Amino acid sequence: MGFRVNVFLLLAFYLFPGVKSSMVSFSNNGYDGIVIAINPSVPEDEKLIQKIKEMVIEASTYLFHATKRRAYFRSVSILIPMTWKSNPEYLMPKQESYDQADVIVADPYLKYGDEPYTLQYGQCGDKGRYIHFTPNFLLSNNLPTYGPRGRIFVHEWAHLQWGVFDEYNLDRPFYISRKNTIEATRCSTQITGTNVVFKECQGGSCITRPCRRDSQTGLYEAKCTFIPNKAQRARESIMFMQSLDSVTEFCTAKTHNKEAPNLQNKMCDHKSTWDVIMKSQDFQNVSPMTGKNPPPGPTISLLKAKQRVICLVLDKSGSMKTEDRLFRLNQAAELYLIQIVEKGSLVGMVTFDNSAEIQNNLIKITDDNTYQKITAKLPQVADGGTSICSGLRAGFQVITQSNQSTSGSEIILLTDGEDDTISSCFEEVKQSGAIIHTIALGPSAAKELETLSKMTGGHKFFASKDINGLIDSFSRISSGSGNIFQRALQLESKALNVARNNWINGTVPVDSTIGNDTFFVVTWTIQKPEILLQDPKGNKYNTADFKEDQLNIRSARLRIQGIAETGTWTYSLLNKHAQSQLLTMTVTTRARSPTTLPVIATAHMSQNTAHHPSPMIVYAQVSQGFLPVLGINVTAIIENEDGHQVTLELWDNGAGADTIKNDGIYSRYFTHYHGNGRYSLKVRAQARENAARISLRHRQNKALYIPGYVENGKIILNPPRPEVEDDMAEAKVENFTRVTSGGSFIVSGVPPSGNHADVFPPGKITDLEAKFKNDHIQLSWTAPGKVLDKGKADRYVIRISTHFRDIQEDFNNASLVNTSGLIPKEAGSTENFEFKPEPNKIENGTIFYIAIQAINEPGLTSEVSNIAQATKLIPPQESSAPALDTKISTISLTMFGFAMILFFIIN
């Protein structure tokens, strides 16, 4: 099918947060700095702004009571697109931008409908990435389906800010309790309702029948649905069903349902949502507010995005002479100015050593001539000391002299030197409202650079010895406006040391979603190589077609006229010099048209700093619009200050570091620390032949859709939710590659020598499944490694009990299963194991709880796995009996026509 699924044509602009740096702060019980950003493709509508305001005001009050008077929303900014008309009420943004927003308002893909959700893929307690609301959700009446919007916002805020998970499970809506009753997966169990199968609809009403038990699983049949009573007494829980009028609290340790097979129990070791929330950094040493009155309503500011303003602030001090740094700076900066910066942007440049010099005031990028005016001033001589503050102040001057505000403008600061006076301008930087992106070049760059990025919401990068690190860093600093069609995409970034008369060869697939403004760039360190390039139709380009820059910075580029041919391009580079030299190939492009969304890859580490022996997690998100791209090869390359590289294959298998299987988030633990200091992250995503696909299924971590409610003994249905048929749930994807920088991070506390990995145990098993087959229990799980998710564990310990608490609270004293014949496989492999539980005679309905630990060769033990459940069922001689306490009822259809109900039944 390729990329061009029909629903894609309905969309225009999307940009998703990559390395996200939320500006949210919490003090004196109030949240400040929340940013709600409207996508540029959303048509101008004052009602939308009004609905967002109403939601925030309602959410603040609900949050206050839900946190037992501990928190409320004090200040919120709504970021208006630059495409909307000006309004005197709109203020100038500071660091607020679309790609750093906490909440984005954007149209969905058709298949998703308008379900609100949070992009959340970290571990228990980790913050999410962003909340997504659609304009239609905010403007329409969703009250029967999801409840008041303020309540939904709090449900999603709990995902985003505190890292708790949903207490329902659409894949396992029912489970068998320790009391041997079938329960709906929920928290708390005090929420009441009825379980029915919709049988038939005629004349405006539907007949239901009781749910039957499946003799194989002991659970209700697949079409069984839990319909809650509209009138409830239970106050918990917001993470299950915030739509119920009675629900105003999160589940506590007292009311939490530890048995439910939901993501909250899986990810948070059966802890209640309230326990996780109270352990968050927000609520450390925070007391409930006193007094009878609630806090005042939130202050809501309207900010309008502005034209992009960028100033390059580039170091040309004496140390830039070493390791060809000045050449590499010029190569990367030129590529940025010609290939990455969006047309229409205002760009200036400052260079600095002991002092700063303005090279260009702001110039509007319109054509090749304007690029050349800036590139002509790139520094050619390196000399002097390093005064970073001088460079920053000159950068501010460039912006203000051109009648632009520093507020919301961007500065790209590159330096390789130390500067013990850098902190003297921190307050000035803060007050400017500018966003500072920092690039640390080499091991001696000022240690305070990351502070500048963090305090202003900018990106941070580290580049070691080859040119690609710098090019990758610059390439990642794209527009944060939300307009994905302006954004440059990197398809190739390869550097190889090539011996005399040797070739390097490579291929670059250009898929049908891209090809506009495509560049092939070659750099070298001594002499221009021979270059051969061929497009998918056999057209050839050679060395003469690649134009060198007048600055003599050892780079040559070929711009493909029009749209680049779809298919596989091949290239070859021959080193003709007598000595070996470093040759690189970089390919960038943009989206083919405003009607077809390109595949995007973003990457980041789980944290900005790590102290040995704490592990970190590498995350890469690969998506087309809001849809995850599955089944591809995703590789992370992590490099330290010495140039030492570690390559990791990232997984989307729902095990180890990966929270949810097949969500387009690829992850892996990183433990191979090689010294202290800065590390850089780079990720390559590559579609496998005929294996890549786009998932059209509903996302996890969202407000629960309610099919209907029971009122006065009758079921009142809600409008049906759009469903994806199994044969339409995925669309094939053609070959593609994407390369992206994930920024930098800092490691400390690494011992000077020895095997640092020996301090890490095997990873926790999180996907243990159990079922009976005759008299045996069959187990399956994903193998952890010797070190978290790498290598092989030495052995497994499996324990079993008929009592849930024995496994959860006293694992080491539960009955041991004989695993002498079980030899662990390589990490990421599927493990299967079968055993016969004791005693030999087991009654019908007996429930066993099983958990597992992995032990590595040094003797380190993993955490106890998730608890799997297996129920012994002896099939009855006759057909399955209907479930008890469920009466046939006639559904009163007061709101919806027969056609919609028929749609509901079909789906």
Side-chain angles (χ1 to χ4, degrees):
M1 181 184 289
F3 284 107
R4 298 193 178 200
V5 180
N6 289 337
V7 293
F8 299 162
L9 301 179
L10 300 173
L11 298 173
F13 303 88
Y14 289 103
L15 176 63
F16 300 105
V19 185
K20 186 173 184 295
S21 177
S22 173
M23 306 302 287
V24 172
S25 62
F26 184 70
S27 62
N28 299 323
N29 301 98
Y31 283 105
D32 294 298
I34 301 158
V35 177
I36 301 174
I38 301 173
N39 191 275
S41 70
V42 175
E44 186 163 355
D45 190 341
E46 289 186 10
K47 288 181 182 177
L48 184 59
I49 296 175
Q50 185 58 36
K51 290 296 183 183
I52 294 172
K53 288 180 177 180
E54 291 172 5
M55 176 181 70
V56 170
I57 292 167
E58 181 183 39
S60 184
T61 302
Y62 190 61
L63 178 70
F64 180 66
H65 294 295
T67 56
K68 308 182 195 302
R69 304 179 67 88
R70 285 174 173 81
Y72 69 100
F73 296 129
R74 184 160 46 220
S75 68
V76 175
S77 296
I78 302 174
L79 187 62
I80 310 295
M82 193 169 66
T83 51
W84 288 25
K85 294 175 185 174
S86 297
N87 186 313
E89 193 181 354
Y90 298 162
L91 305 174
M92 183 78 74
K94 290 191 176 181
Q95 284 92 13
E96 299 88 355
S97 66
Y98 183 89
D99 68 347
Q100 305 289 9
D102 306 289
V103 182
I104 59 174
V105 178
D107 285 320
Y109 274 144
L110 184 64
K111 295 291 184 182
Y112 275 126
D114 295 304
E115 287 185 321
Y117 70 92
T118 302
L119 183 62
Q120 174 191 16
Y121 47 80
Q123 304 300 298
C124 181
D126 290 350
K127 293 182 190 297
R129 307 301 287 168
Y130 59 80
I131 298 167
H132 176 206
F133 294 122
T134 70
N136 192 53
F137 170 80
L138 292 166
L139 293 168
S140 303
N141 177 21
N142 304 284
L143 192 64
T145 311
Y146 296 105
R149 275 183 281 265
R151 289 172 169 238
I152 296 162
F153 189 17
V154 172
H155 176 100
E156 301 306 332
W157 183 259
H159 284 309
L160 181 77
Q161 187 66 14
W162 303 317
V164 297
F165 296 87
D166 288 321
E167 292 163 337
Y168 61 87
N169 188 338
L170 297 178
D171 295 324
R172 296 184 63 183
F174 296 96
Y175 68 97
I176 299 174
S177 76
R178 68 189 75 170
K179 297 177 182 177
N180 210 3
T181 60
I182 302 177
E183 296 286 349
T185 301
R186 67 200 192 281
C187 192
S188 74
T189 54
Q190 298 304 307
I191 290 178
T192 58
T194 187
N195 307 313
V196 296
V197 172
F198 295 102
K199 195 175 181 183
E200 60 178 293
C201 294
Q202 284 184 348
S205 64
C206 285
I207 302 298
T208 65
R209 65 166 172 80
C211 297
R212 299 191 180 103
R213 273 198 171 190
D214 184 310
S215 61
Q216 299 299 314
T217 65
L219 295 169
Y220 289 137
E221 59 196 298
K223 292 183 179 179
C224 184
T225 303
F226 173 74
I227 308 293
N229 294 325
K230 186 68 175 175
Q232 302 275 350
R233 292 184 179 180
R235 294 183 177 181
E236 303 90 0
S237 167
I238 291 169
M239 299 314 292
F240 171 58
M241 200 175 285
Q242 77 290 325
S243 58
L244 296 171
D245 292 342
S246 66
V247 170
T248 56
E249 297 178 5
F250 296 96
C251 262
T252 63
K254 185 177 180 181
T255 56
H256 180 60
N257 180 6
K258 293 184 177 181
E259 293 185 279
N262 55 36
L263 204 54
Q264 173 64 23
N265 278 330
K266 173 188 171 182
M267 295 302 302
C268 298
D269 291 326
H270 302 270
K271 295 186 183 74
S272 73
T273 52
W274 183 245
D275 283 344
V276 176
I277 290 167
M278 286 303 292
K279 288 182 179 177
S280 72
Q281 188 176 357
D282 293 351
F283 292 152
Q284 298 297 312
N285 305 314
V286 171
S287 301
M289 294 179 70
T290 56
K292 295 182 179 180
N293 296 327
T299 300
I300 302 175
S301 304
L302 302 182
L303 313 176
K304 187 171 186 286
K306 67 171 191 173
Q307 182 179 28
R308 194 176 189 200
V309 176
I310 311 160
C311 185
L312 304 182
V313 177
L314 307 176
D315 186 352
K316 65 177 187 70
S317 61
S319 55
M320 292 291 289
K321 293 177 185 175
T322 61
E323 297 179 344
D324 264 348
R325 287 178 188 166
L326 198 65
F327 265 109
R328 288 159 51 207
L329 160 63
N330 285 335
Q331 288 171 336
E334 182 188 59
L335 183 144
Y336 179 73
L337 291 165
I338 294 176
Q339 298 172 222
I340 308 299
V341 171
E342 302 79 13
K343 282 191 176 172
S345 302
L346 296 171
V347 182
M349 185 168 66
V350 166
T351 56
F352 69 93
D353 42 44
N354 299 90
S355 59
E357 183 179 354
I358 294 174
Q359 300 295 341
N360 288 98
N361 280 314
L362 295 182
I363 299 174
K364 188 171 185 177
I365 302 296
T366 55
D367 53 30
D368 291 348
N369 290 332
T370 52
Y371 291 122
Q372 290 168 7
K373 284 180 184 177
I374 305 175
T375 57
K377 297 288 187 72
L378 285 167
Q380 300 302 299
V381 178
D383 196 17
T386 306
S387 177
I388 291 171
C389 284
S390 295
L392 291 173
R393 291 186 180 112
F396 296 151
Q397 189 179 345
V398 164
I399 295 166
T400 56
Q401 282 180 352
S402 303
N403 297 317
Q404 295 292 320
S405 172
T406 55
S407 187
S409 296
E410 299 170 71
I411 284 181
I412 300 175
L413 169 64
L414 182 147
T415 182
D416 74 337
E418 297 177 356
D419 181 359
D420 55 12
T421 66
I422 187 172
S423 59
S424 65
C425 59
F426 279 0
E427 190 57 35
E428 197 175 335
V429 167
K430 228 183 266 186
Q431 295 301 319
S432 74
I435 300 165
I436 314 290
H437 308 295
T438 59
I439 303 175
L441 179 56
S444 301
K447 305 304 179 189
E448 297 86 356
L449 288 179
E450 284 77 9
T451 306
L452 284 169
S453 295
K454 185 177 180 181
M455 73 167 64
T456 64
H459 297 302
K460 58 187 184 330
F461 302 95
F462 163 67
S464 184
K465 294 182 178 179
D466 68 60
I467 176 61
N468 282 69
L470 268 184
I471 289 176
D472 298 339
S473 300
F474 272 109
S475 297
R476 181 62 189 83
I477 308 173
S478 53
S479 169
S481 70
N483 187 343
I484 194 62
F485 302 107
Q486 290 183 340
R487 180 173 169 180
L489 305 173
Q490 202 170 354
L491 307 185
E492 180 65 286
S493 173
K494 184 175 284 186
L496 284 174
N497 202 39
V498 184
R500 177 188 178 185
N501 291 330
N502 278 20
W503 290 88
I504 60 168
N505 305 300
T507 60
V508 180
V510 174
D511 58 78
S512 61
T513 70
I514 57 174
N516 190 23
D517 202 27
T518 304
F519 289 88
F520 289 79
V521 180
V522 176
T523 72
W524 56 92
T525 52
I526 305 173
Q527 183 184 42
K528 186 177 181 179
E530 185 174 334
I531 307 168
L532 298 176
L533 176 67
Q534 182 172 298
D535 76 9
K537 287 189 172 180
N539 298 313
K540 294 181 180 179
Y541 304 87
N542 57 35
T543 311
D545 297 309
F546 282 73
K547 306 302 180 187
E548 289 187 61
D549 191 273
Q550 295 176 353
L551 294 175
N552 188 28
I553 54 176
R554 303 173 195 158
S555 73
R557 71 174 30 78
L558 169 68
R559 181 176 189 171
I560 305 300
Q561 297 301 313
I563 302 295
E565 288 290 342
T566 298
T568 301
W569 292 64
T570 60
Y571 66 85
S572 299
L573 306 178
L574 170 65
N575 177 23
K576 298 183 294 182
H577 195 266
Q579 301 176 28
S580 63
Q581 64 171 330
L582 187 73
L583 303 180
T584 76
M585 172 64 85
T586 303
V587 183
T588 65
T589 189
R590 298 184 199 269
R592 177 172 295 245
S593 75
T595 58
T596 307
L597 292 172
V599 168
I600 300 294
T602 59
H604 67 99
M605 301 298 294
S606 57
Q607 56 209 65
N608 293 323
T609 59
H611 188 83
H612 185 269
S614 298
M616 299 183 79
I617 300 174
V618 187
Y619 289 114
Q621 179 189 2
V622 186
S623 59
Q624 186 173 20
F626 289 112
L627 298 180
V629 180
L630 314 179
I632 62 176
N633 288 317
V634 182
T635 305
I637 301 102
I638 299 170
E639 184 175 359
N640 76 345
E641 292 179 351
D642 297 332
H644 180 268
Q645 289 188 349
V646 173
T647 301
L648 283 176
E649 181 186 352
L650 307 186
W651 296 336
D652 185 15
N653 61 358
D658 196 61
T659 305
I660 299 168
K661 185 176 183 178
N662 289 338
D663 64 348
I665 310 297
Y666 298 78
S667 57
R668 199 78 184 274
Y669 284 109
F670 173 64
T671 59
H672 199 90
Y673 300 133
H674 196 271
N676 296 309
R678 291 185 174 104
Y679 286 67
S680 66
L681 168 65
K682 173 179 174 177
V683 163
R684 176 184 292 270
Q686 192 162 10
R688 300 169 182 165
E689 193 74 40
N690 298 319
R693 59 203 190 278
I694 297 171
S695 172
L696 307 179
R697 295 184 185 278
H698 292 277
R699 284 192 178 276
Q700 305 255 6
N701 308 317
K702 62 180 183 291
L704 178 61
Y705 163 81
I706 312 299
Y709 299 95
V710 179
E711 285 190 82
N712 301 318
K714 294 181 178 180
I715 298 176
I716 310 298
L717 283 186
N718 285 324
R721 175 182 64 178
E723 294 288 349
V724 179
E725 299 291 338
D726 286 343
D727 60 346
M728 289 292 293
E730 293 178 347
K732 285 187 178 179
V733 177
E734 58 200 293
N735 287 352
F736 71 85
T737 60
R738 299 292 185 269
V739 178
T740 186
S741 170
S744 64
F745 60 98
I746 295 174
V747 174
S748 62
V750 180
S753 60
N755 188 352
H756 310 318
D758 282 347
V759 300
F760 297 103
K764 176 183 175 180
I765 295 164
T766 59
D767 60 350
L768 179 65
E769 296 282 346
K771 64 179 180 180
F772 260 98
K773 184 178 181 182
N774 300 322
D775 292 331
H776 287 72
I777 292 177
Q778 293 179 326
L779 302 179
S780 64
W781 67 93
T782 302
K786 175 183 177 180
V787 177
L788 294 172
D789 55 9
K790 289 178 282 294
K792 290 182 189 178
D794 186 58
R795 65 187 191 277
Y796 293 116
V797 173
I798 302 175
R799 295 186 183 271
I800 185 170
S801 177
T802 54
H803 299 286
F804 180 85
R805 287 186 178 177
D806 288 354
I807 292 291
Q808 191 203 10
E809 299 175 6
D810 197 14
F811 176 81
N812 290 329
N813 288 321
S815 298
L816 196 62
V817 174
N818 183 354
T819 57
S820 57
L822 178 58
I823 300 172
K825 296 179 182 177
E826 191 74 22
S829 306
T830 299
E831 298 274 25
N832 295 289
F833 181 67
E834 186 175 296
F835 68 96
K836 186 174 183 180
E838 299 294 339
N840 293 328
K841 195 170 183 180
I842 301 168
E843 295 181 357
N844 187 26
T846 301
I847 302 173
F848 288 96
Y849 300 97
I850 307 110
I852 185 170
Q853 283 182 316
I855 301 174
N856 64 14
E857 196 175 353
L860 299 174
T861 305
S862 73
E863 294 179 51
V864 178
S865 73
N866 65 298
I867 300 172
Q869 174 183 317
T871 305
K872 177 62 177 175
L873 295 170
I874 301 173
Q877 297 299 315
E878 51 189 83
S879 60
S880 301
L884 298 178
D885 300 325
T886 308
K887 298 180 180 179
I888 294 177
S889 60
T890 299
I891 300 179
S892 174
L893 300 172
T894 58
M895 298 173 63
F896 317 108
F898 172 72
M900 294 191 75
I901 294 306
L902 183 60
F903 181 86
F904 179 83
I905 298 300
I906 289 171
N907 286 278

